[in-house]
Amino acid sequence: MATMKSYESNINKVNESAIDRVFMFFNNSILLVIMLIVLLPLIYIVSASFSSSEAVIEGRVILWPVDFSLQGYQTVFEHKKVWDGFANSLFYTFFGTIFNVVMTIIAAYPLSRLDLVGRRFITFAFIFTMLFSGGLIPTYMVVRDLGLLNTRWAMILPTGIGPFNLLITITFFRTTIPSELIEAARIDGASDFRIFASVVLPLARPIIAVLALFYAVNTHWNTYFMALIYLKDQELFPLQLVLREILIQNSIDASMLTDVEDLVAREGLRDLLKYSLIVVASVPVMALYPFVQKHFVKGMTIGAVK
Amino acid sequence: MLSFRWNRVTGDGKLWLRVRRNWQLYVLLILPLLWLAIFRYAPMYGAQIAFRQYSPAFGIEGSPWVGLANFERFVNSPKFEPVIVNTLVISFYALLAGFPIPILLALSLNQVKSRFFRNSVQMITFAPHFISTVVIVGMLFQFLHPRVGFTAALAGMLDQPSPNWMGDPGAFRHIFVWSGIWQEMGFSSIIYFAVLSTIDPSLHEAAVVDGANRLQRIRYIDIPGLLPTAMVLLVLSTGRVLEVAFEKVYLMQSPLNLGVAEVINTYVYKVGLLSPILDFSYSTAIGLLKGIVGLLLMIAVNHAARRLTNHSVW
């Protein structure tokens, strides 16, 4: 989007033919429909979460909130499990992302140096893990033998370096740090450590932002697979596992709904609660989204257009 | 630059000298390589239990060697056919339906004149990518709930009996594939859109002068421009056809739809970590079979792509 060339504006000064105008009409109509198909379910969720439980259960919510109420949110925030899950997810995401970014950067810089002996072999060793892996059980056995099962470490250490992220970081270093700059620093007597710390790292800020986003969202905040395999204690569960219990397995702590006497109202609250929970769980990422979108695009394009 | 040349003239010891000159770079690589060895390559070594009858008491090397017995057991088991068929059907359905749509979206967006409209469509179609799998499946359950869901409300308005799609095995694949397209089409189109913006504008200008309309310019300029990228992505996703997204399938499974929803990855998980009698060796064998077939498939598709279109991943 930022790289969009301005050729359109030159071309469009020429009068469009009838066939082009018909084409554009259909083109834009289809895009509008696609946009609505994506948008409407999202609007519905938010609207339902702000409606009363009666309106939700009777199916009166179509597009806008009906009988505006914060009942759902109140129930969500009174739920200790949700708070614990939220806190755990923040913990895993924060420390996990730091670990991922540091590891990726210290691996990518040496591998971006064309004068490194063994560069191709080591890079291939990383990329190969994208094509083939030992599998679920052997990986589980390694984590088990290291004594990491059911600890917070199990959520952080195995994530390490994503091969795709390593590739885009290597490409970034190759294309943005001129080898003349590194040679000049060497001639001035700087060691590789010194060059890494005072030349490479300051220039790496954009790629660090991209990596942090990729890892935080894709590897940590939004996943539940590792937690499902490695964790047993409820107190260690990330938010996504708590969500799974409530949204998918439909197991809601009855104590959450005690102040509601009526069985029907209780059923309604159960559904309302889910909509509010969906909103609460998605807000942290969605709130960041408009600011980070361009970084995501940048990251994807570094990888694709070499 | 100077030092590179110096390295070259030193003859015999040049390789070692280059290694020694860059020793600090290798120090930086120590931790990443250690991590790679422990968490990625040690499991590959451990995968040999697929050829053994693993028991924790004897460890990996100590467990008795059984050759291909575990593989044979899987191939001859009644689960083999449905699991493989389900995996392939879901994968190819997702691939056939999901592959062209982001390309069409990018081509179509690229035609839009209004910057505001273009950015809005991109921003909105991109957004669902950030919603977690659990939430997406949770949304599906809510929307398609036979009593309180969106579809139930709609059916009520039309005086129709409300459908129970999540419980309908016949609907499972469609729901899985199309919700995936709903979530990822915007994100997947980014790459294509970026490639389109690198196409030389003079090609379009020349085509306009020659009287080409928009459709013709898409056909003869944009699509050929996207072909290399599309081929690379197609090869990569074909190599992953056996890797149906575990997280989503597992969440969407229910006793009602298990006949069509059990895929290799979920089966491996259940055999290895969920069943009452855990069978590490059997589960690993199934996983290994999947991995090897996937790798061979990728190599084959890459080869075919190179033969047919001259574009390939490697």
Side-chain angles (χ1 to χ4, degrees):
Chain A
M1 53 203 61
T3 49
M4 189 65 203
K5 294 272 161 52
S6 55
Y7 72 84
E8 283 287 352
S9 56
N10 300 330
I11 289 173
N12 292 327
K13 279 176 196 140
V14 185
N15 268 342
E16 296 237 312
S17 65
I19 185 164
D20 273 354
R21 265 173 298 183
V22 173
F23 170 76
M24 283 311 285
F25 173 76
F26 281 109
N27 188 59
N28 290 359
S29 312
I30 291 169
L31 283 176
L32 196 69
V33 170
I34 289 176
M35 190 163 82
L36 289 177
I37 289 174
V38 175
L39 197 56
L40 288 181
L42 301 178
I43 292 179
Y44 176 79
I45 298 272
V46 176
S47 300
S49 77
F50 283 109
S51 300
S52 74
S53 54
E54 293 82 14
V56 169
I57 201 169
E58 285 159 21
R60 282 189 284 131
V61 180
I62 298 292
L63 203 52
W64 305 120
V66 177
D67 305 338
F68 183 88
S69 112
L70 292 172
Q71 207 184 357
Y73 287 96
Q74 202 185 338
T75 321
V76 168
F77 287 124
E78 279 167 7
H79 200 10
K80 183 171 171 302
K81 244 190 200 171
V82 173
W83 282 113
D84 285 350
F86 213 94
N88 283 333
S89 279
L90 277 180
F91 180 93
Y92 301 138
T93 304
F94 183 76
F95 290 104
T97 303
I98 290 177
F99 176 64
N100 298 143
V101 171
V102 169
M103 292 287 274
T104 308
I105 295 280
I106 61 176
Y109 174 63
L111 296 176
S112 75
R113 287 272 299 261
L114 295 172
D115 58 329
L116 186 88
V117 177
R119 168 179 63 89
R120 281 173 187 280
F121 176 74
I122 299 172
T123 310
F124 180 76
F126 277 100
I127 301 309
F128 184 68
T129 64
M130 202 150 57
L131 308 175
F132 185 77
S133 84
L136 174 73
I137 298 298
T139 311
Y140 174 88
M141 284 164 64
V142 167
V143 173
R144 182 196 65 187
D145 294 345
L146 291 170
L148 304 180
L149 277 193
N150 210 18
T151 66
R152 290 181 186 273
W153 294 107
M155 297 298 292
I156 295 172
L157 292 181
T159 60
I161 299 170
F164 175 78
N165 291 335
L166 182 72
L167 270 188
I168 64 170
T169 315
I170 293 175
T171 310
F172 175 86
F173 283 143
R174 285 235 178 100
T175 49
T176 49
I177 302 180
S179 54
E180 290 81 14
L181 192 64
I182 288 164
E183 276 310 310
R186 287 205 108 152
I187 288 164
D188 289 346
S191 67
D192 274 318
F193 287 153
R194 184 70 203 280
I195 295 171
F196 180 67
S198 25
V199 179
V200 176
L201 280 186
L203 288 172
R205 240 175 253 162
I207 194 71
I208 290 176
V210 171
L211 288 175
L213 286 166
F214 274 175
Y215 281 123
V217 176
N218 296 337
T219 311
H220 297 286
W221 188 266
N222 276 347
T223 57
Y224 76 92
F225 183 57
M226 295 220 312
L228 181 75
I229 303 172
Y230 297 138
L231 300 182
K232 281 202 172 59
D233 289 352
Q234 285 275 348
E235 304 92 75
L236 295 176
F237 279 8
L239 183 63
Q240 299 300 330
L241 269 195
V242 179
L243 289 176
R244 171 171 168 257
E245 280 175 16
I246 299 177
L247 294 179
I248 315 286
Q249 298 173 325
N250 209 9
S251 80
I252 296 172
D253 204 345
S255 65
M256 283 173 73
L257 309 167
T258 41
D259 45 335
V260 188
E261 307 278 298
D262 181 14
L263 203 70
V264 180
R266 196 181 281 196
E267 275 302 300
L269 194 55
R270 201 183 264 263
D271 276 301
L272 176 61
L273 161 81
K274 289 181 182 173
Y275 290 111
S276 308
L277 196 55
I278 287 174
V279 174
V280 169
S282 308
V283 152
V285 179
M286 282 295 181
L288 283 173
Y289 165 59
F291 305 103
V292 304
Q293 190 205 13
K294 70 171 196 288
H295 290 293
F296 258 97
V297 174
K298 206 187 292 162
M300 291 301 294
T301 25
I302 294 174
V305 195
K306 267 183 247 167
Chain B
M1 283 302 169
L2 210 71
S3 43
F4 285 125
R5 237 170 274 137
W6 178 73
N7 276 334
R8 233 167 266 139
V9 292
T10 45
D12 282 342
K14 92 178 176 191
L15 204 70
W16 170 242
L17 273 174
R18 265 168 71 191
V19 171
R20 218 174 56 179
R21 195 178 77 122
N22 289 332
W23 69 272
Q24 292 182 336
L25 294 180
Y26 293 100
V27 172
L28 284 177
L29 276 169
I30 288 176
L31 276 179
L33 285 177
L34 204 62
W35 173 85
L36 186 70
I38 295 173
F39 287 102
R40 292 294 179 266
Y41 282 88
M44 288 186 205
Y45 175 76
Q48 62 175 279
I49 63 167
F51 303 97
R52 296 174 185 272
Q53 198 50 55
Y54 175 77
S55 100
F58 298 118
I60 293 174
E61 291 95 349
S63 297
W65 187 266
V66 295
L68 295 175
N70 290 309
F71 296 90
E72 279 164 16
R73 198 178 129 205
F74 176 55
V75 173
N76 292 326
S77 85
K79 274 285 189 182
F80 176 71
E81 201 194 309
V83 165
I84 299 288
V85 168
N86 288 340
T87 306
L88 290 177
V89 169
I90 295 175
S91 272
F92 278 105
Y93 184 8
L95 194 64
L96 287 179
F99 182 69
I101 288 178
I103 299 178
L104 294 174
L105 183 62
L107 288 171
S108 169
L109 266 177
N110 195 42
Q111 296 297 325
V112 173
K113 283 173 266 180
S114 150
R115 201 187 171 81
F116 173 76
F117 183 56
R118 193 170 61 224
N119 287 348
S120 309
V121 175
Q122 258 189 335
M123 180 113 176
I124 286 166
T125 53
F126 194 14
H129 172 74
F130 292 91
I131 299 174
S132 76
T133 311
V134 180
V135 168
I136 290 284
V137 178
M139 281 167 64
L140 287 174
F141 273 108
Q142 287 307 106
F143 280 129
L144 306 177
H145 194 286
R147 193 166 36 79
V148 296
F150 185 72
T151 49
L154 219 59
M157 278 164 61
L158 302 169
D159 277 328
Q160 293 288 316
S162 107
N164 180 10
W165 277 334
M166 288 308 273
D168 178 3
F172 169 80
R173 288 166 182 154
H174 305 295
I175 297 172
F176 179 86
V177 167
W178 289 98
S179 62
I181 291 172
W182 178 85
Q183 184 178 12
E184 297 296 342
M185 65 178 167
F187 188 75
S188 312
S189 75
I190 289 175
I191 292 181
Y192 297 114
F193 194 75
V195 173
L196 282 176
S197 69
T198 63
I199 289 177
D200 187 356
S202 64
L203 287 177
H204 281 279
E205 278 154 16
V208 169
V209 171
D210 289 346
N213 64 33
R214 283 174 176 271
L215 265 172
Q216 287 166 325
R217 282 193 278 136
I218 290 177
R219 168 73 184 79
Y220 293 104
I221 299 173
D222 290 344
I223 291 181
L226 285 183
L227 200 64
T229 313
M231 270 303 141
V232 169
L233 293 179
L234 187 64
V235 170
L236 290 178
S237 31
T238 316
R240 302 188 62 81
V241 285
L242 300 179
E243 301 285 341
V244 176
F246 171 92
E247 292 210 342
K248 192 168 170 190
V249 178
Y250 187 61
L251 290 174
M252 286 180 69
Q253 283 181 351
S254 71
L256 287 173
N257 64 20
L258 215 52
V260 290
E262 190 79 285
V263 297
I264 300 178
N265 278 342
T266 53
Y267 189 58
V268 165
Y269 170 66
K270 286 172 190 173
V271 170
L273 293 175
L274 220 55
S275 71
I277 324 141
L278 299 184
D279 197 335
F280 277 16
S281 284
Y282 187 44
S283 173
T284 305
I286 303 170
L288 198 61
L289 192 64
K290 177 198 71 179
I292 292 168
V293 173
L295 192 61
L296 294 177
L297 213 59
M298 177 117 85
I299 293 169
V301 175
N302 188 58
H303 188 71
R306 193 165 43 197
R307 291 281 300 275
L308 293 173
T309 65
N310 275 327
H311 300 297
S312 61
V313 183
W314 64 83

